[in-house]
Amino acid sequence: MRRLFPVTDQTAPAAAPAPQAQSEAQPEAQSEAPSHLADLVDREWTLDELAEAYAYPAPLTTPAVPATSDAPHRWLRANMVSTLDGAAQHDGRSQAISSDADMRIFGTLRGLADVVLVGAETVRLEGYRPARARDAFAARRAADGQAPAPAIAVVSASLNLDFSLPLFTSPLVPTLVLTGAAASPDRVRDAEKAGARVIVAGDGPGVEPDRAVTALADMGLVRQLTEGGPRLLGQFAAAGVLDELCLTVAPLLTVGSAQRITGGPALPDPERFALAAVLEEAGFLFTRYRRI
């Protein structure tokens, strides 16, 4: 994996120093890259190197870091994959347009997060299981005061979920269910009986994105990650609570009518994001954008 265009992140403080910005009009500057970057060219990065590259902004407000004007209360990033023609799925699933490197980054982003937010439909289609603890991230998570694995937070208005699945009955960290105040009391009881913790984050049947991310942050889950699906990501983007998008661009064409990475009503005006980093392997581009 190699860094194509090192860029300086101007949108938020980063935990690791970023290399100097480089213009695409000056390709010869690649030869002047710092030696620690040159060492990363054309070899597989370790998980620790990926973790440094994808570190959350620091500091974030946590029990160990009191709230200040300079420390965000929480940080929500999304991780999605798209083909060249904009498809976020093939035959209803994202696995067909992914790659081994994409899955390494997927695992790294989970390894850094306190909580993974996911829509109920994605849970059903992708066969979600509990997040697992990984030795590669154990020391880093312990140093940051994190649980051994991120909690999975399922967003569902109807609570039409199979609560007999391992995601609910045998997670390492209890699964959370975010829903609205109008959710069926019977379904709430079913979720709680299975071992899930139900969080009301909306006054009606659905979840309000700003209340969802705030409720999780108030629980100490400030490093937030969403893996979609498109409708959920569209809701987060429309509500203005999405801070960062990690988008894998797959060198594939699928044609068809698959969903894009976001779904829902169009924004009144397009929202601008700034490029923070680009990595490449085997034609796959691993981009990271931050909200301006």
Side-chain angles (χ1 to χ4, degrees):
M1 183 175 292
R2 62 191 182 94
R3 188 183 297 266
L4 280 184
F5 304 119
V7 295
T8 301
D9 185 357
Q10 301 291 339
T11 61
Q20 293 299 309
Q22 175 181 317
S23 169
E24 294 182 51
Q26 297 176 317
E28 65 274 14
Q30 286 281 6
S31 62
E32 300 175 6
S35 59
H36 74 283
L37 290 180
D39 178 58
L40 296 177
V41 173
D42 293 332
R43 71 167 173 82
E44 185 176 84
W45 289 22
T46 67
L47 290 178
D48 196 53
E49 288 166 340
L50 284 174
E52 288 296 325
Y54 283 91
Y56 278 82
L60 291 176
T61 301
T62 66
V65 181
T68 71
S69 59
D70 297 325
H73 186 42
R74 51 95 190 141
W75 190 265
L76 175 64
R77 66 169 33 146
N79 182 33
M80 301 292 284
V81 59
S82 172
T83 62
L84 296 175
D85 51 349
Q89 304 164 339
H90 185 62
D91 287 339
R93 302 188 66 183
S94 61
Q95 184 176 0
I97 60 174
S98 182
S99 69
D100 289 344
D102 184 47
M103 293 310 298
R104 282 172 61 81
I105 291 175
F106 174 92
T108 298
L109 295 180
R110 279 198 168 196
L112 298 174
D114 295 324
V115 61
V116 179
L117 293 99
V118 61
E121 184 66 12
T122 299
V123 167
R124 290 187 285 264
L125 290 175
E126 301 280 356
Y128 259 62
R129 299 184 63 83
R132 59 189 178 91
R134 299 184 63 183
D135 291 342
F137 303 104
R140 185 182 296 269
R141 294 185 68 86
D144 288 337
Q146 295 176 285
I152 303 295
V154 183
V155 179
S156 176
S158 68
L159 299 185
N160 182 22
L161 297 160
D162 184 353
F163 294 116
S164 68
L165 294 175
L167 175 62
F168 301 102
T169 61
S170 57
L172 181 63
V173 178
T175 293
L176 309 174
V177 176
L178 298 168
T179 192
S184 162
D186 289 340
R187 297 303 290 165
V188 170
R189 283 192 291 270
D190 289 343
E192 293 175 335
K193 184 177 179 180
R197 178 174 177 178
V198 177
I199 300 169
V200 175
D203 293 330
V207 169
E208 299 167 22
D210 57 339
R211 288 183 58 177
V213 296
T214 298
L216 294 172
D218 288 346
M219 296 169 58
L221 305 175
V222 297
R223 303 172 187 88
Q224 301 173 358
L225 169 68
T226 180
E227 297 167 351
R231 184 169 61 177
L232 182 65
L233 181 54
Q235 291 171 351
F236 285 141
V241 300
L242 181 68
D243 299 295
E244 180 178 326
L245 173 63
C246 298
L247 176 64
T248 297
V249 181
L252 303 170
L253 295 174
T254 61
V255 194
S257 57
Q259 284 184 298
R260 305 180 337 187
I261 66 167
T262 58
L267 292 172
D269 297 296
E271 186 172 10
R272 181 70 181 268
F273 279 61
L275 179 65
V278 184
L279 305 176
E280 182 270 345
E281 183 175 276
F284 283 77
L285 298 182
F286 306 96
T287 69
R288 189 158 56 91
Y289 290 87
R290 287 183 171 179
R291 183 159 56 101
I292 298 174

